Amino acid sequence: MSDPLMDYFDAYARDYAPYKGGSWCYEDGCLYRGLIALFDATGEARWYDHLKRLVDAQVDAEGQLSGYILTEYNIDNILPGRALITLFQHTGDERYRKAADLLARQLQSHPRIAAGPYWHKLRYPHQVWLDGLYMGLAFKAEYGALVNQPLMMWDALDELLISLDLTADEASGLYRHGYDEQRLQSWADAKTGLSPAHWARALGWLAMAMVDLFDLLLDSANKVVLQQRLTALFDRLRALRTKDGRWLQVIDQPDLNGNYAESSATAMFAYAFLKAARLGLGQAYAEIGLGALHSLEHHALRTNEAGRMVLHNICCVAGLGGFGGVYRDGTPAYYLSEALNDDDIKGVGPLMMAQAESYRRKAEKPLITAA
């Protein structure tokens, strides 16, 4: 029997136009993560075939990446590199390995703040954003495993834990979107260096980074710390759900005029909760993840006039500082001002990942629940 959601994903990948005209970018990497998750969960060749077709259009015979410039030092560009590792492991084709090596070289020289974590981008100096923790760290851990350099894996975990310390907002139990070590940005608090509000998708990127690193790393004292931080974050996220099981754009301000249930963050949290349950971090997490997934299906997925399913209420993009002639000040009002983009891959990719986790839950017995 046909599954409408899987049919939607298949049609989406079939018709997908590269987000930035074919240049290597994190948005395409979101789709690659979704396709890998679906392939791992189902074993169906269609997901792998979509992945290989799309990545092959961006990697030449010498392992060079379309439109990629290492010295831009954009941490976002690292995320799609996880697909290169997957394809190299499946095919043995050295061009994927060479392309992954290129991204690893970026990380070798990528600027860092004094405490250790990478700058978000060269054009955003001395800044750590939660987005970047997902973009760079799981690739670093996967690549470290690929080339038998475990220090890369532990460095990724150290960077994550340091970033959590730097961005933590103890009063709310959440993490702020950005941190400026120099306190030069007008969005940065003069004392803490933190941006002023809690954006749901920034926390979604963070939750996915945390659960993916927990999955990749061997047991250690710092991994126990990661588990504790993840559990504490999940406890706060559980309390911040809407009545229908989603999360708001400005996640902790339900009375804020114009606030809305945002689909990309909800999909990210659904994935993170479901994967955490599969990894044995708490089976109660599965019900939260499934509830979010089902709420998206019921409230945010609708059929358009052409008869195609479309995912709605996705924030197109949000950031901090100057961009496109606008200064993004990180206030709640700013996050609510950003445009919505139906079927944006930053929502559809994580939805694929959440659905893949729900399939794996049906097929696999969960691990023993952590105490």
Side-chain angles (χ1 to χ4, degrees), residues 25 32 39 60 63 69 91 143 154 188 219 228 234 248 252 285:
C25 64
Y32 302 159
F39 177 63
D60 70 15
I69 301 173
T91 66
Y143 183 86
W154 301 123
D219 290 343
Q228 294 167 343
F234 277 5
L248 299 171
D252 58 343
Y285 294 153

Side-chain angles (χ1 to χ4, degrees), residues 137-160:
L137 298 186
F139 169 85
K140 187 170 187 174
E142 287 186 341
Y143 183 86
L146 178 71
V147 299
N148 194 28
Q149 293 186 22
L151 286 178
M152 293 185 69
M153 304 170 72
W154 301 123
D155 185 62
L157 179 55
D158 287 345
E159 180 177 345
L160 177 61

Side-chain angles (χ1 to χ4, degrees), residues 23-138:
S23 292
W24 190 252
C25 64
Y26 84 91
E27 291 91 347
D28 294 348
C30 291
L31 177 58
Y32 302 159
R33 293 305 306 152
L35 294 171
I36 291 168
L38 289 170
F39 177 63
D40 288 345
T42 68
E44 295 178 6
R46 56 177 168 167
W47 310 118
Y48 177 83
D49 292 344
H50 285 312
L51 175 72
K52 191 172 187 304
R53 169 179 56 83
L54 291 165
V55 174
D56 281 352
Q58 296 181 307
V59 184
D60 70 15
E62 301 303 317
Q64 296 299 306
L65 300 168
S66 178
Y68 170 78
I69 301 173
L70 185 152
T71 51
E72 288 182 347
Y73 291 113
N74 182 346
I75 204 69
D76 289 343
N77 287 334
I78 303 299
L79 173 64
R82 297 179 71 182
L84 299 171
I85 295 173
T86 296
L87 288 171
F88 174 69
Q89 290 171 330
H90 278 271
T91 66
D93 189 332
E94 283 294 326
R95 67 194 175 103
Y96 300 126
R97 168 65 185 270
K98 290 178 181 177
D101 291 344
L102 180 62
L103 297 177
R105 285 200 294 276
Q106 176 184 324
L107 294 182
Q108 288 176 351
S109 56
H110 196 108
R112 296 175 181 249
I113 66 169
Y118 295 118
W119 290 8
H120 189 63
K121 299 179 184 179
L122 188 63
R123 67 188 302 265
Y124 298 127
H126 308 288
Q127 298 167 44
V128 175
W129 296 8
L130 298 183
D131 322 23
L133 304 179
Y134 181 70
M135 302 302 169
L137 298 186

Side-chain angles (χ1 to χ4, degrees), residues 308-341:
R308 292 192 63 154
M309 195 178 289
V310 175
L311 182 63
H312 294 266
N313 289 353
I314 306 170
C315 175
C316 182
V317 68
L320 297 165
F323 182 77
V326 175
Y327 192 86
R328 303 170 297 180
D329 63 7
T331 60
Y334 157 68
Y335 289 115
L336 296 183
S337 74
E338 285 287 9
L340 303 182
N341 187 29

Side-chain angles (χ1 to χ4, degrees), residues 7-21:
D7 291 344
Y8 161 63
F9 294 148
D10 195 20
Y12 187 99
R14 181 195 66 212
D15 299 334
Y16 182 76
Y19 206 93
K20 291 178 177 172

